Amino acid sequence: MSFVVGLTGGIGSGKSAVADLFVERGITIVDTDAIAHALTAQGGAAMPAICAEFGAEMANPEGALDRAAMRALVFADASARKRLEAILHPMIRGESERQLAAGAAAGSPYAILMVPLLVESGDYRKRVQRVAVVDCAEATQIARVMNRNGLVREVIQGILAAQATRAERLAAADDVIDNDGELAALPPQIERLHRHYLALSGHVG
Ligand code: ADP
């Protein structure tokens, strides 16, 4: 795939809602979070290496990653986080490259690579031609995640504090998608961006 747009935004900003609108326009979406999840699900390709590195107790009886146990371990031990990332990151990268190539083969004129922590990761920015940021106020993010996940405000604020700030994300953006308003405000913005990306990728906009 020769033209890849990195799509990012904080938790609850509306990345999935935006991605759905690109899918409607026939664009391949590669979701790195979904890939990471599949790699660590029951029978996931990363599970043998994770069990070899951290012990079989990191898997639940079904053979999927025990997410609570892993979260506790990497929270307490920064080197454990690094060892986990050393297993997962190359596999996520390999699978996203495979899906991008499949998208190109299927005729998608460009692709969207969804990376929640794109701004926090120098590596991903080198792998995309353009960065699109879904933007909304922190108060909006908190309200949406409280509603979607039933989390309490303090937990969401902790997640936000560990992510790039709104200003940092906006500074990294080539394109900004405003999602502070109603869902109905998204399709016209995505249609405009889609035409822009078609033109930038050498297709008629
Ligand atoms: P992300 O993928 O960035 O975490 P989502 O796309 O899942 O965010 O959106 C978070 C939640 O907010 C979802 O429940 C979604 O349906 C809802 N949502 C997204 N955009 C809007 C909007 N403009 N108005 C109202 N609800 C929205």
Side-chain angles (χ1 to χ4, degrees):
M1 180 63 71
S2 53
F3 195 82
V4 180
V5 179
L7 177 65
T8 193
I11 183 170
S13 58
K15 295 179 292 297
S16 304
V18 165
D20 289 347
L21 294 169
F22 281 102
V23 169
E24 278 178 20
R25 288 161 176 79
I27 299 305
T28 292
I29 306 285
V30 178
D31 179 345
T32 56
D33 246 12
I35 292 172
H37 211 269
L39 286 169
T40 52
Q42 181 180 1
M47 289 313 297
I50 288 173
C51 289
E53 180 70 33
F54 297 102
E57 64 274 15
M58 275 302 155
N60 63 26
E62 289 74 43
L65 181 67
D66 181 337
R67 291 174 204 284
M70 185 51 90
R71 214 175 297 124
L73 181 65
V74 301
F75 184 73
D77 177 359
S79 86
R81 177 186 295 275
K82 288 237 170 335
R83 286 185 286 137
L84 177 65
E85 289 177 352
I87 293 169
L88 283 177
H89 285 182
M91 295 181 99
I92 295 169
R93 181 175 180 146
E95 177 57 19
S96 44
E97 296 296 340
R98 196 194 66 70
Q99 291 188 16
L100 288 170
S108 186
Y110 64 91
I112 301 278
L113 184 62
M114 263 173 93
V115 188
L117 299 182
L118 185 140
V119 170
E120 292 83 343
S121 147
D123 179 53
Y124 272 108
R125 295 192 58 187
K126 288 187 233 122
R127 290 169 50 204
V128 298
Q129 276 64 54
R130 208 150 172 100
V131 174
V133 167
V134 187
D135 178 63
C136 66
E138 279 200 1
T140 309
Q141 285 178 272
I142 291 171
R144 285 188 188 146
V145 178
M146 284 173 76
N147 196 31
R148 181 186 65 184
N149 301 78
L151 295 175
V152 298
R153 179 179 300 275
E154 290 68 29
V155 171
I156 305 165
Q157 279 167 335
I159 296 170
L160 289 180
Q163 300 189 340
T165 63
R166 186 179 185 188
E168 285 166 342
R169 252 191 243 89
L170 288 174
D174 296 304
D175 304 302
V176 177
I177 299 153
D178 171 13
N179 191 28
D180 235 333
E182 294 183 3
L183 275 174
L186 285 179
Q189 296 185 74
I190 301 313
E191 183 59 26
R192 201 160 50 239
L193 273 182
H194 174 57
R195 290 182 183 285
H196 191 39
Y197 296 153
L198 283 176
L200 287 174
S201 60
H203 300 80
V204 185

